[in-house]
């Protein structure tokens, strides 16, 4: 396992099949997209068995529901940028893209020809990455204004990354190594902007970071420690400055969603809690009552 996410940023040769539907576009220059656009407070909840979905806003740790509706069943992954959501079924290659703004989702395009078996799908402010942890293949593109545009195809990502998260401009990945008694991690990071990932480096750790979730400028790690989760936070901007500091412990949560400044912790029985995470600072807000059980995906914009 390399310490960085990718050894070099060379695209796959033309002999390799394109891994996603649609043409490969030229890369756009890195811009101050995150500085020029409004942070997102929108979030979508999705039940893969029934297709039931709900949307709303989560800002300052406070939730407000906006809509309920139905989507196709079976989606396994989702990722939201600043204004756009992609949903994806890793088993069939089906998917869709739409705008996610003001706490409401509107589909703009459906797909039936995405490649199957992507391990992670993660979105920054204007971009998205599809990653296969078994092969090291990846695809990046832009995800904004209700549209996905493929930009670059990779065959040289390191394999085995076990968790990924993207802030508005930074992608962070971690992999667990060692034994259960002595776990440790590699952490890789870089920028994910303009539809392209640019590797910035990596750091080894003598402890395991666990699952990662990022807001617009920060990242949270939750690592299992007996019957609790240990929480650590770091700033996550400009593809650098990754330095996790422990902020406390919590009970076990099964899913964590995000918006630009907030986190949504969830158990499948409907137990839920919200907090804020901004400028590398974490603060609890409180429990939420009457949250439905069975949500498979909780996806928020950044």
């Amino acid at each position: 396992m390399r310490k960085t996410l990718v050894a070099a940023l060379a695209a796959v040769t033309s002999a390799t099949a394109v891994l996603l539907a649609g043409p490969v576009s030229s890369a756009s220059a890195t811009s101050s997209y995150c500085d020029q656009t409004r942070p997102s407070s929108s979030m979508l909840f999705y039940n893969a068995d029934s297709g039931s979905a709900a949307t709303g806003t989560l800002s300052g740790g406070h939730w407000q529901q906006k809509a309920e509706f139905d989507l196709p069943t079976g989606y396994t992954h989702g990722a939201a940028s600043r204004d756009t959501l992609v949903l994806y079924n890793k088993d069939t290659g089906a998917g869709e893209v739409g705008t996610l703004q003001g706490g409401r989702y509107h589909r703009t395009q459906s797909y039936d020809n995405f490649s199957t078996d992507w391990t992670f799908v993660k979105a920054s402010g204007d971009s998205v990455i599809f990653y296969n942890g078994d092969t090291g293949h990846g695809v990046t593109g832009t995800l904004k204004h209700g549209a996905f545009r493929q930009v670059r195809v990779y065959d040289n990502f390191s394999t085995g990354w076990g968790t990924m998260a993207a802030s508005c401009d930074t992608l962070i990945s971690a992999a667990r190594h060692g034994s259960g008694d002595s776990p440790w991690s590699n952490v890789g990071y870089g920028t994910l902007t303009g539809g392209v990932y640019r590797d910035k480096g990596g750091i080894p750790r003598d402890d395991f970071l666990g699952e990662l979730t990022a807001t617009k400028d920060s990242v949270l790690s939750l690592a299992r420690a007996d019957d609790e989760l240990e929480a650590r936070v770091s700033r996550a901007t400009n593809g650098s400055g990754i330095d996790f500091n422990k902020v406390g412990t919590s009970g076990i949560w099964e899913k964590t969603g995000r918006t630009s400044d907030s986190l949504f912790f969830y158990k499948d029985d409907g137990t839920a809690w919200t907090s804020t995470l901004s400028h590398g600072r974490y603060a609890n807000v409180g429990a939420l009552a009457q949250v439905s059980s069975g949500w498979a995906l909780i996806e928020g914009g950044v």
Side-chain angles (χ1 to χ4, degrees), residues 57-79:
T57 58
L58 180 67
S59 179
H62 299 289
W63 166 255
Q64 183 177 5
Q65 185 165 321
K66 297 289 188 177
E68 296 183 27
F69 51 97
D70 291 323
L71 291 169
T73 60
Y75 289 136
T76 57
H77 295 69

Side-chain angles (χ1 to χ4, degrees), residues 6 19 28 49 55 57 68 76 83 88 107 121 171 207 209 246-247 263 265 281 298:
V6 62
L19 301 181
S28 59
D49 294 327
T55 55
T57 58
E68 296 183 27
T76 57
D83 64 6
Y88 163 73
R107 181 191 295 118
V121 182
L171 180 73
D207 56 358
L209 283 173
K246 187 174 178 179
V247 294
L263 297 168
F265 302 99
R281 296 189 294 271
I298 303 174

Side-chain angles (χ1 to χ4, degrees), residues 267-298:
K267 292 183 181 180
D268 290 339
D269 63 3
T271 304
W273 185 277
T274 64
S275 67
T276 60
L277 177 60
S278 183
H279 305 295
R281 296 189 294 271
Y282 174 93
N284 287 314
V285 175
L288 282 180
Q290 299 179 331
V291 177
S292 298
S293 61
W295 296 119
L297 298 177
I298 303 174

Side-chain angles (χ1 to χ4, degrees), residues 24-108:
V24 177
S25 306
S26 59
S28 59
T30 300
S31 67
S32 54
Y33 184 84
C34 292
D35 297 328
Q36 298 170 352
T37 53
R38 179 177 297 178
S40 173
S41 62
S42 298
M43 179 171 279
L44 177 139
F45 295 76
Y46 169 75
N47 185 310
D49 294 327
S50 67
S52 297
T55 55
T57 58
L58 180 67
S59 179
H62 299 289
W63 166 255
Q64 183 177 5
Q65 185 165 321
K66 297 289 188 177
E68 296 183 27
F69 51 97
D70 291 323
L71 291 169
T73 60
Y75 289 136
T76 57
H77 295 69
S81 65
R82 184 138 279 192
D83 64 6
T84 302
L85 172 75
V86 59
L87 294 166
Y88 163 73
N89 185 324
K90 72 179 183 65
D91 300 314
T92 67
E96 65 180 79
V97 173
T99 58
L100 182 63
Q101 294 177 289
R104 298 183 185 276
Y105 173 71
H106 298 283
R107 181 191 295 118
T108 56

Side-chain angles (χ1 to χ4, degrees), residues 9-284:
L9 288 177
V12 180
T13 63
S14 59
T16 302
V18 174
L19 301 181
L20 283 178
V24 177
S25 306
S26 59
S28 59
T30 300
S31 67
S32 54
Y33 184 84
C34 292
D35 297 328
Q36 298 170 352
T37 53
R38 179 177 297 178
S40 173
S41 62
S42 298
M43 179 171 279
L44 177 139
F45 295 76
Y46 169 75
N47 185 310
D49 294 327
S50 67
S52 297
T55 55
T57 58
L58 180 67
S59 179
H62 299 289
W63 166 255
Q64 183 177 5
Q65 185 165 321
K66 297 289 188 177
E68 296 183 27
F69 51 97
D70 291 323
L71 291 169
T73 60
Y75 289 136
T76 57
H77 295 69
S81 65
R82 184 138 279 192
D83 64 6
T84 302
L85 172 75
V86 59
L87 294 166
Y88 163 73
N89 185 324
K90 72 179 183 65
D91 300 314
T92 67
E96 65 180 79
V97 173
T99 58
L100 182 63
Q101 294 177 289
R104 298 183 185 276
Y105 173 71
H106 298 283
R107 181 191 295 118
T108 56
Q109 187 168 2
S110 296
Y111 296 88
D112 61 6
N113 57 347
F114 280 119
S115 295
T116 57
D117 296 325
W118 293 115
T119 307
F120 294 116
V121 182
K122 298 295 178 181
S124 63
D126 68 350
S127 304
V128 64
I129 183 170
F130 294 74
Y131 166 77
N132 186 312
D134 295 324
T135 66
H137 288 147
V139 167
T140 56
T142 58
L143 187 69
K144 58 183 181 178
H145 309 317
F148 164 72
R149 295 289 182 269
Q150 182 172 307
V151 173
R152 188 165 291 183
V153 182
Y154 308 80
D155 67 351
N156 58 347
F157 285 125
S158 297
T159 58
W161 293 107
T163 180
M164 285 185 172
S167 68
C168 200
D169 63 6
T170 302
L171 180 73
I172 312 99
S173 306
R176 179 180 178 129
H177 306 284
S179 67
D181 295 331
S182 301
W184 55 281
S185 289
N186 279 344
V187 181
Y189 48 85
T191 58
L192 181 61
T193 59
V196 175
Y197 175 76
R198 294 177 175 86
D199 192 68
K200 296 294 186 179
I203 52 175
R205 290 186 61 93
D206 58 6
D207 56 358
F208 178 51
L209 283 173
E211 295 297 316
L212 301 176
T213 307
T215 57
K216 68 176 180 179
D217 62 8
S218 307
V219 60
L220 168 82
S221 78
L222 290 176
R224 186 73 176 256
D226 298 322
D227 295 327
E228 292 183 318
L229 293 173
E230 291 185 348
R232 294 174 173 82
V233 299
S234 171
R235 292 291 298 267
T237 57
N238 301 316
S240 61
I242 308 302
D243 183 17
F244 286 92
N245 298 297
K246 187 174 178 179
V247 294
T249 60
S250 76
I252 303 299
W253 299 102
E254 290 158 335
K255 295 178 180 67
T256 307
R258 62 89 183 267
T259 57
S260 64
D261 69 353
S262 301
L263 297 168
F264 191 102
F265 302 99
Y266 179 76
K267 292 183 181 180
D268 290 339
D269 63 3
T271 304
W273 185 277
T274 64
S275 67
T276 60
L277 177 60
S278 183
H279 305 295
R281 296 189 294 271
Y282 174 93
N284 287 314

